[in-house]
Amino acid sequence: MATEKTFQVGPLRVRVSAADAQPAPKERLSRDRIVDVALAQMKERGYEAVSMRSIAKELGTGPASLYAHVANRDELDSLVIDRIARQADLPAPDPERWDEQLKAGLRGLLAAFREHPGSARATLGMIPTLEGTLVHAEAMMALCRAGGIQDQYAAWAADVLALYVASVAVEEDVWVERGKAAAAAGRPYTEEDVVAAVHAHFRSLAADRFPILSSLADVMTTGDGEERFEFGITLLVEGLKAVSAQARAREA
Amino acid sequence: MATEKTFQVGPLRVRVSAADAQPAPKERLSRDRIVDVALAQMKERGYEAVSMRSIAKELGTGPASLYAHVANRDELDSLVIDRIARQADLPAPDPERWDEQLKAGLRGLLAAFREHPGSARATLGMIPTLEGTLVHAEAMMALCRAGGIQDQYAAWAADVLALYVASVAVEEDVWVERGKAAAAAGRPYTEEDVVAAVHAHFRSLAADRFPILSSLADVMTTGDGEERFEFGITLLVEGLKAVSAQARAREA
DNA sequence: ACCTGAACACCGTTCAAGT
DNA sequence: ACCTGAACACCGTTCAAGT
């Protein structure tokens, strides 16, 4: 099947089989190979650039072939997210510093999403049912429990925390995509450009209609993604402590 | 230009000009008319069903025509979101109950998103620059200030709060869309079906690998969207109070 | 300046046909 | 059972041509 040809490349003699040619080696397809390619493409080019077609092409076939191994794009996304969730490593709960550990887990999740830009889009609305996402949820719950958080609050908090991390990752990706589009169109679009433009816009607002925004342009545009993310997870974790303590006080 | 024809419909004589025919009356296009249609379609059929083509069709023209009034889909989305943001009515700050007012503002925003299912997708990554979104941001900031929150925290909190509301709305829409797809395929997909399935799945998990999730299946699946949303905004608002108080204590 | 039709370069998914 | 090519019903956007 694999027709072989021999080329003379400078001083080298190179033997090439048709299977080695451009599209891909012709191995058997499998769920895992499909997910491997999807994950690799997402890592390299972001969620937007990955499609049933782009995956199929890299596997040397057409998009229809994938449907023998994967129900649809939605299921494929779940499988990819599952792999990504496994990357956030999770600490053994220590009641002394459960809150810091919780935050570390969330940072790890954000880092895993960031490694595959845009992937977090697929987690919005996803109910954790696969291995990796379950492990993450279990770990978040374990940390909450180590902190003495009531079960019901821990369960809801695990959801809210994961949702917040995902939405931050999605927002970041929107900016990245906009940057790409701007770059392709030859427009300047560094982070500083955008921040400067927003700052100027806020300052230019009518002071009678927007007294706060116009006077606080500085504060509104202060802080990079990291600082804002830290603020967000701190709000949530401190809020969780407060709500939990309030409930405990009510019961006593 | 409008060629007229006269038809006999039963006992009635009907005069129809070409402009009145099926697609739409041929008024001049405008930004506002385009946004009107986009908003109406989103309200009726959700974000997924709205496209440059569907809007153009309702206006009796082709998609290319829209580009004379709107730069691209992104800009159109901004205009739509701006209109939606105006719907959340905002209270005059009362220092006695700023926190409740803040939550009410967030509930109003969620309600506005829900009236246009999926619209919240478009807000992820959007920087508020138009009227409606600015008014909302200004109001959120005013309430935080009434609560004695430091400017920097207020600014960051306004972002986090809006992001949380949007991400809840997006998640809900994912479920709605999945429900539609399931209904179209003839599968059952009520909320109870899904909750029951998830509950069963958690219960079935290996107790040694997932001791918490498997034993807390009840608690994990308790609470509807409303209850979970309330929990989320409470975490954020209580967290904001806590962080603000901590900073004040540090400075003293 | 505004509008248009046709085309470009994409999507996810289905389906009949092949092995 | 697995794979395939071709087609279906969509996208957003561009562009030359019309008024």
Side-chain angles (χ1 to χ4, degrees):
Chain A
M1 170 74 72
T3 52
E4 282 193 342
K5 293 190 182 180
T6 312
F7 295 97
Q8 196 74 32
V9 181
L12 294 171
R13 174 102 50 86
V14 181
R15 218 161 48 173
V16 176
S17 73
D20 297 334
Q22 256 301 29
K26 273 278 155 68
E27 271 179 72
R28 246 161 154 287
L29 286 178
S30 73
R31 245 168 122 89
D32 272 342
R33 287 187 67 216
I34 291 169
V35 177
D36 285 344
V37 170
L39 208 51
Q41 289 190 353
M42 226 173 272
K43 189 164 191 165
E44 199 166 342
R45 296 185 278 140
Y47 185 84
E48 297 272 86
V50 182
S51 66
M52 299 305 264
R53 285 174 150 83
S54 73
I55 297 165
K57 195 174 179 188
E58 190 162 330
L59 289 165
T61 182
S65 305
L66 308 183
Y67 288 82
H69 301 91
V70 144
N72 48 38
R73 177 69 203 252
D74 231 53
E75 186 178 283
L76 177 54
D77 279 344
S78 297
L79 295 167
V80 168
I81 292 295
D82 186 58
R83 290 262 199 103
I84 291 174
R86 285 176 213 220
Q87 291 188 11
D89 42 16
L90 299 156
D94 173 355
E96 293 302 305
R97 39 190 282 282
W98 69 279
D99 51 349
E100 258 315 312
Q101 292 182 303
L102 198 57
K103 289 200 222 172
L106 298 174
R107 281 181 212 115
L109 187 59
L110 180 62
F113 284 140
R114 279 177 172 164
E115 255 186 69
H116 307 83
S119 62
R121 285 165 201 277
T123 75
L124 297 177
M126 185 180 289
I127 295 161
T129 51
L130 300 182
E131 196 67 14
T133 48
L134 287 174
V135 167
H136 198 273
E138 176 86 12
M140 292 292 109
M141 296 279 290
L143 289 168
C144 288
R145 283 190 142 192
I149 306 298
Q150 297 87 334
D151 288 341
Q152 184 63 79
Y153 292 161
W156 286 340
D159 267 12
V160 175
L161 292 167
L163 178 58
Y164 176 68
V165 175
S167 63
V168 168
V170 171
E171 271 211 312
E172 284 186 3
D173 186 60
V174 172
W175 295 325
V176 169
E177 290 295 328
R178 254 206 287 271
K180 277 187 202 166
R187 277 174 289 127
Y189 201 92
T190 68
E191 204 179 314
E192 296 91 64
D193 292 330
V194 177
V195 171
V198 173
H199 188 271
H201 185 256
F202 281 142
R203 281 213 53 82
S204 76
L205 292 173
D208 53 334
R209 298 222 44 212
F210 301 104
I212 305 180
L213 295 182
S214 63
S215 67
L216 294 188
D218 287 354
V219 146
M220 296 296 297
T221 50
T222 294
D224 56 8
E226 239 57 56
E227 223 168 338
R228 286 163 182 264
F229 178 69
E230 285 300 317
F231 179 75
I233 60 179
T234 302
L235 282 197
L236 288 166
V237 172
E238 294 304 314
L240 184 57
K241 289 185 201 170
V243 167
S244 175
Q246 285 164 22
R248 219 175 287 113
R250 265 200 307 276
E251 271 158 41
Chain B
M1 170 71 75
T3 52
E4 284 193 337
K5 293 191 181 178
T6 311
F7 295 99
Q8 196 75 31
V9 181
L12 295 170
R13 175 102 51 86
V14 182
R15 217 161 50 173
V16 176
S17 73
D20 295 336
Q22 254 304 26
K26 272 280 157 66
E27 272 178 71
R28 248 162 153 288
L29 285 179
S30 74
R31 244 168 123 89
D32 272 343
R33 287 187 66 216
I34 292 169
V35 177
D36 285 343
V37 170
L39 207 51
Q41 289 190 353
M42 225 172 274
K43 190 163 191 167
E44 198 166 343
R45 298 187 277 138
Y47 185 87
E48 297 273 86
V50 183
S51 65
M52 300 306 263
R53 284 173 151 82
S54 72
I55 297 165
K57 194 174 180 187
E58 190 163 330
L59 289 166
T61 182
S65 305
L66 308 182
Y67 287 84
H69 301 91
V70 145
N72 49 37
R73 177 68 203 249
D74 232 53
E75 186 179 282
L76 177 54
D77 279 345
S78 298
L79 295 168
V80 169
I81 291 295
D82 185 58
R83 291 263 199 104
I84 291 174
R86 284 176 214 219
Q87 292 189 10
D89 43 17
L90 299 155
D94 172 356
E96 293 303 307
R97 38 190 284 280
W98 68 279
D99 50 349
E100 257 316 311
Q101 292 183 303
L102 198 56
K103 290 200 222 174
L106 299 173
R107 281 182 212 114
L109 187 58
L110 180 63
F113 285 140
R114 278 177 173 164
E115 254 187 70
H116 306 83
S119 62
R121 286 165 201 277
T123 74
L124 297 177
M126 185 180 289
I127 295 162
T129 51
L130 300 183
E131 195 68 11
T133 48
L134 288 174
V135 167
H136 198 273
E138 175 87 12
M140 293 290 109
M141 296 279 292
L143 289 169
C144 287
R145 283 190 141 190
I149 306 298
Q150 298 87 336
D151 288 342
Q152 183 63 79
Y153 292 161
W156 285 340
D159 267 11
V160 175
L161 292 167
L163 178 57
Y164 176 69
V165 175
S167 63
V168 167
V170 171
E171 271 211 313
E172 284 187 3
D173 186 60
V174 172
W175 295 324
V176 169
E177 290 294 328
R178 255 208 287 272
K180 277 187 202 165
R187 278 174 289 126
Y189 200 92
T190 68
E191 204 179 314
E192 297 90 64
D193 292 331
V194 176
V195 170
V198 173
H199 188 272
H201 185 255
F202 281 143
R203 280 214 53 82
S204 76
L205 293 173
D208 54 333
R209 297 220 46 212
F210 302 103
I212 304 180
L213 294 182
S214 62
S215 68
L216 294 189
D218 287 353
V219 146
M220 296 296 297
T221 51
T222 293
D224 57 8
E226 239 57 55
E227 223 168 340
R228 287 163 182 264
F229 179 69
E230 283 301 316
F231 181 75
I233 60 179
T234 302
L235 282 197
L236 289 166
V237 172
E238 294 304 314
L240 184 56
K241 290 185 201 170
V243 167
S244 175
Q246 285 165 22
R248 220 174 287 114
R250 265 199 309 277
E251 271 158 39

